[in-house]
Amino acid sequence: MIHLKSVDLKKEKVASLVIPVCEDKTVFDDEIIMSLIRKAKKFKEFKGDKNDEVTFYDLAEVKAERVIFIGLGKLEKIDREAMRAATGKAVKALIKKKLSNVLIAVPVAKKINMEMTSLLEAMLEGAYLGNHIFDRYKNEKKHTPVKKIDFLVKPDETRKYGRLSSRVYTICQGTILAREWVSMPSNDKRPERFARSIVALAKKENLKVTVLGEKELKQKKFGAIMAVAAGSRSKPRMVILEHNPKGSKKAVALVGKGVTFDSGGINLKPSAGMEEMKSDMSGAAAVAATLITAAKLKSGFRVIGILPIVENMPSGNASRPGDIIKTYDGKTVEIGNTDAEGRLILIDAISYGIKKYKPRTLIDMATLTGACVVALGEKIAGTFSFDDKLAEDIILSGRNTHERCWRLPLTEDYKELFKSDFADLNNMSSTRYGGAITAALFLSEFVKDTRWAHIDIAGPAYAKKESSYCGAGGTGFGVRLLCDLLDKL
Ligand code: BES
Ligand code: MN
Ligand code: ZN
């Protein structure tokens, strides 16, 4: 757990005290801390540069057993993300040293040109998210998370920012939930089981839960979802989570792509990197975690999460290239490529969401195209919308949480590219260029006049390597962004 604390460093015993140090400016006003920093800066090993770190033991000025100084770099370069990285790295260093209690000193916000709320938010996020370890499949647990992380603030600030700190904590828990789901191997999250796991947690938070099983999906004519699921021995599910606070009116609907494994189907993917396709349910994980978090936070806004969950496998029952299916909406689609399965399950979920809930706004989040990763790299999500305000709001939220989004165009003339000779549409474009755009345009054919945005998270949902406040595997991308966004829509 994370707490804000006000401590007399001269009198109270602290196991580890972490002090962030700016290279070219004093960012504290506390005399003791300032004198400690002067001491550290006397040594040429430590300047306060970005990756500098030095530990002192048994200093006379304070009762802390050890004081760990971490560099923030030059003032000009310090922003919210730098603070997340700093506390994330500090916590990771503590984990490596097997230290279990820490007190992290919070600089004076004004001195780094930040609002106290965003400074605290960033420092708490970095520390809490950096403390997450995914090791449930290892018999030998090499590392354990830090048990107690406290933040050193002024006496009047512990209560003033108490609510902020518990909100950040809850949102980070949601992010970690999404990370764990994404990192989990596909044999432990086949659709029935992944759905059950979502339902169990959602019910605990009193969300309204509806699950459509294979029978209902067939009966209600979810032709696209059934076609993608056909090759797998696991049956598809559609999970719907509703957060219905009293008195709220029109809902925001969030749709998340839930492919628990994407082998490509009959258009089998090449083997290099195929294991990463366990992450093809990252959209569903982010949306489910966001709903659970919104319920915990008792958000005043009505939110509905719609999660089509399937496994895309080749088999004697699998859909074939050239097959023509009838979607929930009634339009027919020729399956040009069984590996373009995400857009198929999404259009059925989107059509259903719009018909049943008539949302004011619908946002879908999906690991949809490799083309989006080619365009924007592995850390930035593609964002599409006909609505400038909605696109802008998403981008701003992404800037707040450092889950970066970049808008790409929805150019009408590209719709030519997925015409079919035999059906209303083809799920495959006739060119390999502009694949992120054609996929988004394909979805747009099913949104009618609903205010809609699509976020392609194929790049940032999964990390091959660890970074300052995230381990290798699922990143939980989208949870913090959506939590930030929901309050604004
Ligand atoms: N799940 C993939 C997209 C993906 C690629 C996610 C890389 C994460 C990392 C999606 O279902 C897919 O296979 N897309 C195809 C579409 C193509 C067949 C039109 C792609 O991007 O190659
Ligand atoms: Mn695919
Ligand atoms: Zn996929």
Side-chain angles (χ1 to χ4, degrees):
M1 196 39 184
I2 287 187
H3 284 289
L4 304 183
K5 270 175 94 175
S6 173
V7 171
D8 185 344
L9 293 173
K10 269 191 211 144
K11 291 195 186 128
E12 276 184 64
K13 227 180 139 137
V14 174
S16 307
L17 172 65
V18 169
I19 301 180
V21 179
C22 174
E23 196 177 330
D24 54 351
K25 202 190 162 201
T26 312
V27 293
F28 287 91
D29 57 5
D30 179 281
E31 281 306 325
I32 301 174
I33 294 180
M34 279 159 52
S35 77
L36 291 176
I37 292 174
R38 276 194 297 276
K39 204 169 220 177
K41 279 194 171 174
K42 267 191 200 149
F43 295 88
K44 67 166 188 266
E45 297 96 303
F46 187 83
K47 291 201 300 283
D49 200 357
K50 223 175 167 187
N51 290 310
D52 282 359
E53 190 200 307
V54 70
T55 306
F56 286 50
Y57 299 89
D58 286 329
L59 287 167
E61 293 92 331
V62 288
K63 271 222 155 167
E65 273 174 45
R66 62 182 69 66
V67 181
I68 304 167
F69 297 90
I70 53 167
L72 294 173
K74 292 211 164 65
L75 180 75
E76 184 187 83
K77 293 261 174 72
I78 299 176
D79 57 9
R80 288 176 284 184
E81 182 61 5
M83 295 312 296
R84 280 186 206 101
T87 55
K89 273 192 252 169
V91 167
K92 286 194 175 192
L94 288 155
I95 293 172
K96 279 211 187 88
K97 291 177 188 155
K98 301 197 185 305
L99 298 169
S100 61
N101 292 295
V102 63
L103 178 67
I104 304 175
V106 178
V108 177
K110 263 200 210 127
K111 292 189 189 269
I112 41 177
N113 308 318
M114 258 185 241
E115 296 285 334
M116 179 62 168
T117 47
S118 44
L119 171 63
L120 259 186
E121 200 173 287
M123 291 184 76
L124 291 163
E125 280 175 354
Y128 190 56
L129 293 175
N131 201 26
H132 170 238
I133 299 170
F134 180 79
D135 62 359
R136 67 165 86 178
Y137 290 90
K138 287 195 187 274
N139 277 308
E140 190 201 347
K141 319 278 187 210
K142 269 207 200 117
H143 298 295
T144 42
V146 177
K147 273 206 200 74
K148 210 160 148 276
I149 305 175
D150 293 324
F151 283 84
L152 178 63
V153 295
K154 301 251 170 2
D156 62 313
E157 290 172 336
T158 54
R159 293 195 60 211
K160 190 170 172 195
Y161 298 107
R163 280 194 53 186
L164 173 87
S165 111
S166 70
R167 179 187 157 87
V168 173
Y169 180 81
T170 304
I171 293 173
C172 288
Q173 274 186 310
T175 305
I176 287 169
L177 173 61
R179 283 183 182 179
E180 296 253 332
W181 269 329
V182 173
S183 296
M184 187 179 277
S186 295
N187 56 329
D188 277 350
K189 61 176 177 197
R190 298 185 73 183
E192 299 97 325
R193 216 167 138 195
F194 180 38
R196 248 186 284 131
S197 157
I198 293 171
V199 168
L201 294 173
K203 282 196 169 150
K204 239 172 53 193
E205 302 308 328
N206 293 315
L207 288 164
K208 183 174 173 201
V209 179
T210 315
V211 181
L212 306 184
E214 193 199 16
K215 245 201 208 147
E216 288 128 306
L217 289 169
K218 215 183 257 168
Q219 225 170 42
K220 290 191 156 72
K221 304 206 164 102
F222 286 91
I225 292 177
M226 293 311 296
V228 176
S232 172
R233 300 186 70 159
S234 300
K235 304 301 173 208
R237 293 283 184 272
M238 173 108 97
V239 177
I240 298 152
L241 308 176
E242 292 178 57
H243 173 63
N244 294 321
K246 273 197 200 102
S248 68
K249 289 174 245 127
K250 276 205 153 179
V252 172
L254 303 175
V255 178
K257 172 178 172 181
V259 177
T260 63
F261 186 72
D262 182 11
S263 70
I266 297 294
N267 294 105
L268 196 64
K269 284 183 181 295
S271 38
M274 204 201 273
E275 71 283 356
E276 277 176 35
M277 283 303 125
K278 71 177 183 181
S279 69
D280 213 19
M281 34 57 77
S282 296
V287 168
T290 299
L291 267 116
I292 289 164
T293 306
K296 282 189 186 171
L297 294 174
K298 305 205 177 350
S299 158
F301 302 94
R302 182 158 183 238
V303 195
I304 295 158
I306 303 165
L307 315 166
I309 301 172
V310 301
E311 186 180 48
N312 187 23
M313 296 291 263
S315 84
N317 289 320
S319 294
R320 295 151 286 257
D323 282 3
I324 294 178
I325 56 164
K326 192 164 185 159
T327 64
Y328 181 80
D329 176 77
K331 286 194 176 84
T332 56
V333 176
E334 178 183 355
I335 301 180
N337 190 314
T338 60
D339 197 12
E341 85 298 339
R343 64 197 76 182
L344 292 177
I345 65 166
L346 287 172
I347 55 171
D348 269 5
I350 289 170
S351 301
Y352 182 72
I354 289 174
K355 186 171 168 212
K356 173 114 198 208
Y357 298 99
K358 302 180 179 54
R360 178 164 47 88
T361 305
L362 185 146
I363 300 169
D364 75 79
M365 196 170 260
T367 46
L368 201 62
T369 66
C372 196
V373 192
V374 173
L376 298 174
E378 289 176 293
K379 294 186 173 175
I380 302 173
T383 301
F384 302 82
S385 184
F386 295 114
D387 188 300
D388 293 345
K389 171 75 167 51
L390 181 57
E392 196 53 36
D393 283 346
I394 290 169
I395 288 160
L396 281 175
S397 284
R399 215 172 277 159
N400 285 338
T401 64
H402 202 73
E403 294 165 292
R404 287 166 293 177
C405 292
W406 196 264
R407 191 175 182 186
L408 295 172
L410 288 165
T411 32
E412 295 277 339
D413 55 331
Y414 284 17
K415 286 184 178 173
E416 290 281 317
L417 299 170
F418 49 82
K419 277 192 173 155
S420 161
D421 291 334
F422 312 108
D424 298 336
L425 301 164
N426 194 311
N427 76 332
M428 180 71 179
S429 167
S430 55
T431 153
R432 64 194 184 85
Y433 300 117
I437 298 173
T438 46
L441 279 169
F442 182 88
L443 301 179
S444 80
E445 293 282 298
F446 297 81
V447 301
K448 307 239 163 67
D449 51 5
T450 305
R451 196 165 97 108
W452 159 78
H454 158 60
I455 307 177
D456 192 334
I457 58 169
Y462 193 83
K464 283 181 208 83
K465 278 199 256 155
E466 76 165 338
S467 52
S468 46
Y469 57 95
C470 189
T475 61
F477 187 99
V479 177
R480 289 183 300 123
L481 184 152
L482 288 174
C483 288
D484 187 86
L485 182 68
L486 284 177
D487 291 349
K488 293 186 199 153
L489 289 177

Short mmCIF file of all heavy atoms in Angstrom, two decimals, residues 357-386:
data_model
loop_
_atom_site.label_atom_id
_atom_site.label_comp_id
_atom_site.label_asym_id
_atom_site.label_seq_id
_atom_site.Cartn_x
_atom_site.Cartn_y
_atom_site.Cartn_z
N TYR A 357 -27.60 -0.25 -26.58
CA TYR A 357 -27.38 0.78 -25.55
C TYR A 357 -27.46 2.21 -26.06
O TYR A 357 -27.45 3.15 -25.27
CB TYR A 357 -26.04 0.54 -24.86
CG TYR A 357 -25.99 -0.80 -24.16
CD1 TYR A 357 -25.39 -1.90 -24.76
CD2 TYR A 357 -26.59 -0.97 -22.92
CE1 TYR A 357 -25.36 -3.13 -24.14
CE2 TYR A 357 -26.57 -2.19 -22.29
CZ TYR A 357 -25.95 -3.28 -22.90
OH TYR A 357 -25.94 -4.49 -22.27
N LYS A 358 -27.52 2.39 -27.38
CA LYS A 358 -27.55 3.74 -27.96
C LYS A 358 -26.63 4.72 -27.23
O LYS A 358 -27.06 5.75 -26.72
CB LYS A 358 -28.99 4.27 -27.95
CG LYS A 358 -29.94 3.36 -28.70
CD LYS A 358 -31.37 3.86 -28.71
CE LYS A 358 -32.26 2.92 -29.51
NZ LYS A 358 -32.19 1.50 -29.06
N PRO A 359 -25.34 4.40 -27.18
CA PRO A 359 -24.41 5.24 -26.39
C PRO A 359 -24.20 6.60 -27.04
O PRO A 359 -24.34 6.74 -28.26
CB PRO A 359 -23.12 4.43 -26.41
CG PRO A 359 -23.18 3.63 -27.66
CD PRO A 359 -24.63 3.29 -27.85
N ARG A 360 -23.85 7.57 -26.20
CA ARG A 360 -23.54 8.92 -26.66
C ARG A 360 -22.19 8.88 -27.41
O ARG A 360 -22.00 9.55 -28.41
CB ARG A 360 -23.44 9.83 -25.44
CG ARG A 360 -23.07 11.26 -25.69
CD ARG A 360 -23.39 12.10 -24.45
NE ARG A 360 -22.92 11.49 -23.22
CZ ARG A 360 -21.69 11.69 -22.72
NH1 ARG A 360 -20.85 12.47 -23.33
NH2 ARG A 360 -21.34 11.10 -21.58
N THR A 361 -21.30 8.06 -26.89
CA THR A 361 -19.97 7.93 -27.48
C THR A 361 -19.55 6.47 -27.41
O THR A 361 -19.84 5.80 -26.42
CB THR A 361 -18.96 8.77 -26.67
OG1 THR A 361 -19.42 10.12 -26.61
CG2 THR A 361 -17.56 8.73 -27.28
N LEU A 362 -18.88 5.99 -28.45
CA LEU A 362 -18.34 4.63 -28.42
C LEU A 362 -16.86 4.67 -28.79
O LEU A 362 -16.48 5.27 -29.79
CB LEU A 362 -19.12 3.73 -29.38
CG LEU A 362 -18.74 2.24 -29.36
CD1 LEU A 362 -19.98 1.37 -29.62
CD2 LEU A 362 -17.66 1.88 -30.37
N ILE A 363 -16.07 4.06 -27.93
CA ILE A 363 -14.63 4.00 -28.20
C ILE A 363 -14.21 2.53 -28.21
O ILE A 363 -14.54 1.79 -27.28
CB ILE A 363 -13.82 4.75 -27.12
CG1 ILE A 363 -14.23 6.22 -27.08
CG2 ILE A 363 -12.32 4.63 -27.39
CD1 ILE A 363 -13.70 6.99 -25.88
N ASP A 364 -13.52 2.11 -29.27
CA ASP A 364 -13.00 0.75 -29.24
C ASP A 364 -11.49 0.79 -29.13
O ASP A 364 -10.83 1.71 -29.61
CB ASP A 364 -13.45 -0.05 -30.47
CG ASP A 364 -12.69 0.35 -31.72
OD1 ASP A 364 -11.55 -0.09 -31.89
OD2 ASP A 364 -13.27 1.13 -32.53
N MET A 365 -10.98 -0.21 -28.41
CA MET A 365 -9.54 -0.32 -28.19
C MET A 365 -9.12 -1.72 -28.63
O MET A 365 -9.73 -2.71 -28.21
CB MET A 365 -9.27 -0.10 -26.71
CG MET A 365 -7.83 0.19 -26.41
SD MET A 365 -7.59 0.70 -24.71
CE MET A 365 -7.48 2.46 -24.90
N ALA A 366 -8.11 -1.80 -29.49
CA ALA A 366 -7.79 -3.10 -30.08
C ALA A 366 -6.34 -3.19 -30.56
O ALA A 366 -5.80 -2.22 -31.09
CB ALA A 366 -8.72 -3.35 -31.27
N THR A 367 -5.75 -4.36 -30.36
CA THR A 367 -4.46 -4.65 -31.00
C THR A 367 -4.78 -5.07 -32.43
O THR A 367 -4.80 -6.25 -32.76
CB THR A 367 -3.76 -5.82 -30.26
OG1 THR A 367 -4.74 -6.86 -30.04
CG2 THR A 367 -3.21 -5.39 -28.93
N LEU A 368 -5.05 -4.07 -33.27
CA LEU A 368 -5.71 -4.39 -34.54
C LEU A 368 -4.78 -4.66 -35.72
O LEU A 368 -5.03 -5.58 -36.49
CB LEU A 368 -6.70 -3.27 -34.90
CG LEU A 368 -7.79 -3.69 -35.89
CD1 LEU A 368 -8.65 -4.81 -35.32
CD2 LEU A 368 -8.68 -2.52 -36.29
N THR A 369 -3.73 -3.85 -35.87
CA THR A 369 -2.90 -4.03 -37.08
C THR A 369 -1.39 -3.91 -36.83
O THR A 369 -0.94 -3.04 -36.08
CB THR A 369 -3.25 -2.98 -38.17
OG1 THR A 369 -2.90 -1.68 -37.70
CG2 THR A 369 -4.72 -3.03 -38.53
N GLY A 370 -0.64 -4.77 -37.49
CA GLY A 370 0.80 -4.64 -37.52
C GLY A 370 1.18 -3.34 -38.23
O GLY A 370 2.20 -2.72 -37.91
N ALA A 371 0.35 -2.91 -39.16
CA ALA A 371 0.63 -1.69 -39.92
C ALA A 371 0.71 -0.47 -39.00
O ALA A 371 1.50 0.45 -39.25
CB ALA A 371 -0.45 -1.48 -40.98
N CYS A 372 -0.07 -0.47 -37.94
CA CYS A 372 -0.04 0.66 -37.01
C CYS A 372 1.30 0.70 -36.27
O CYS A 372 1.82 1.77 -35.98
CB CYS A 372 -1.20 0.55 -36.02
SG CYS A 372 -1.51 2.10 -35.14
N VAL A 373 1.85 -0.48 -36.00
CA VAL A 373 3.16 -0.55 -35.35
C VAL A 373 4.25 -0.06 -36.31
O VAL A 373 5.20 0.61 -35.91
CB VAL A 373 3.47 -1.98 -34.85
CG1 VAL A 373 4.67 -1.97 -33.92
CG2 VAL A 373 2.26 -2.60 -34.16
N VAL A 374 4.10 -0.41 -37.60
CA VAL A 374 5.05 0.07 -38.60
C VAL A 374 4.99 1.59 -38.67
O VAL A 374 6.01 2.27 -38.73
CB VAL A 374 4.74 -0.55 -39.99
CG1 VAL A 374 5.62 0.08 -41.08
CG2 VAL A 374 4.93 -2.06 -39.96
N ALA A 375 3.78 2.14 -38.61
CA ALA A 375 3.61 3.58 -38.75
C ALA A 375 4.13 4.36 -37.54
O ALA A 375 4.81 5.37 -37.69
CB ALA A 375 2.14 3.92 -38.99
N LEU A 376 3.78 3.90 -36.34
CA LEU A 376 4.03 4.72 -35.14
C LEU A 376 5.02 4.12 -34.15
O LEU A 376 5.32 4.72 -33.12
CB LEU A 376 2.69 4.99 -34.41
CG LEU A 376 1.64 5.77 -35.21
CD1 LEU A 376 0.33 5.85 -34.44
CD2 LEU A 376 2.13 7.18 -35.52
N GLY A 377 5.51 2.93 -34.44
CA GLY A 377 6.44 2.28 -33.51
C GLY A 377 5.71 1.60 -32.37
O GLY A 377 4.48 1.58 -32.32
N GLU A 378 6.51 1.06 -31.44
CA GLU A 378 5.92 0.19 -30.42
C GLU A 378 5.36 0.93 -29.20
O GLU A 378 4.82 0.30 -28.30
CB GLU A 378 6.98 -0.82 -29.95
CG GLU A 378 7.29 -1.85 -31.02
CD GLU A 378 8.40 -2.78 -30.61
OE1 GLU A 378 9.56 -2.31 -30.48
OE2 GLU A 378 8.12 -3.97 -30.40
N LYS A 379 5.53 2.24 -29.17
CA LYS A 379 5.11 2.94 -27.95
C LYS A 379 3.95 3.90 -28.13
O LYS A 379 3.49 4.49 -27.16
CB LYS A 379 6.30 3.68 -27.36
CG LYS A 379 7.36 2.71 -26.87
CD LYS A 379 8.47 3.43 -26.16
CE LYS A 379 9.42 2.42 -25.54
NZ LYS A 379 10.57 3.12 -24.96
N ILE A 380 3.49 4.05 -29.36
CA ILE A 380 2.44 5.04 -29.61
C ILE A 380 1.24 4.37 -30.27
O ILE A 380 1.39 3.57 -31.19
CB ILE A 380 2.98 6.18 -30.50
CG1 ILE A 380 4.19 6.84 -29.81
CG2 ILE A 380 1.90 7.21 -30.81
CD1 ILE A 380 4.91 7.86 -30.65
N ALA A 381 0.07 4.68 -29.76
CA ALA A 381 -1.16 4.10 -30.30
C ALA A 381 -1.72 4.97 -31.41
O ALA A 381 -1.63 6.19 -31.36
CB ALA A 381 -2.20 3.96 -29.18
N GLY A 382 -2.31 4.35 -32.42
CA GLY A 382 -3.00 5.08 -33.48
C GLY A 382 -4.41 5.44 -33.00
O GLY A 382 -5.06 4.64 -32.33
N THR A 383 -4.83 6.65 -33.34
CA THR A 383 -6.15 7.09 -32.90
C THR A 383 -6.93 7.61 -34.11
O THR A 383 -6.39 8.37 -34.92
CB THR A 383 -6.01 8.20 -31.85
OG1 THR A 383 -5.27 7.66 -30.75
CG2 THR A 383 -7.36 8.67 -31.35
N PHE A 384 -8.16 7.16 -34.23
CA PHE A 384 -8.98 7.49 -35.39
C PHE A 384 -10.35 7.99 -34.93
O PHE A 384 -10.96 7.38 -34.06
CB PHE A 384 -9.22 6.25 -36.26
CG PHE A 384 -7.96 5.60 -36.76
CD1 PHE A 384 -7.25 4.72 -35.95
CD2 PHE A 384 -7.49 5.86 -38.04
CE1 PHE A 384 -6.09 4.10 -36.41
CE2 PHE A 384 -6.32 5.24 -38.51
CZ PHE A 384 -5.63 4.37 -37.70
N SER A 385 -10.82 9.08 -35.52
CA SER A 385 -12.19 9.52 -35.25
C SER A 385 -12.61 10.54 -36.29
O SER A 385 -11.77 11.29 -36.80
CB SER A 385 -12.29 10.13 -33.84
OG SER A 385 -13.63 10.45 -33.56
N PHE A 386 -13.89 10.57 -36.60
CA PHE A 386 -14.40 11.64 -37.46
C PHE A 386 -14.64 12.89 -36.63
O PHE A 386 -14.82 13.98 -37.16
CB PHE A 386 -15.73 11.22 -38.12
CG PHE A 386 -15.57 10.07 -39.07
CD1 PHE A 386 -16.15 8.84 -38.81
CD2 PHE A 386 -14.83 10.22 -40.24
CE1 PHE A 386 -16.00 7.78 -39.69
CE2 PHE A 386 -14.67 9.16 -41.12
CZ PHE A 386 -15.25 7.94 -40.85
#
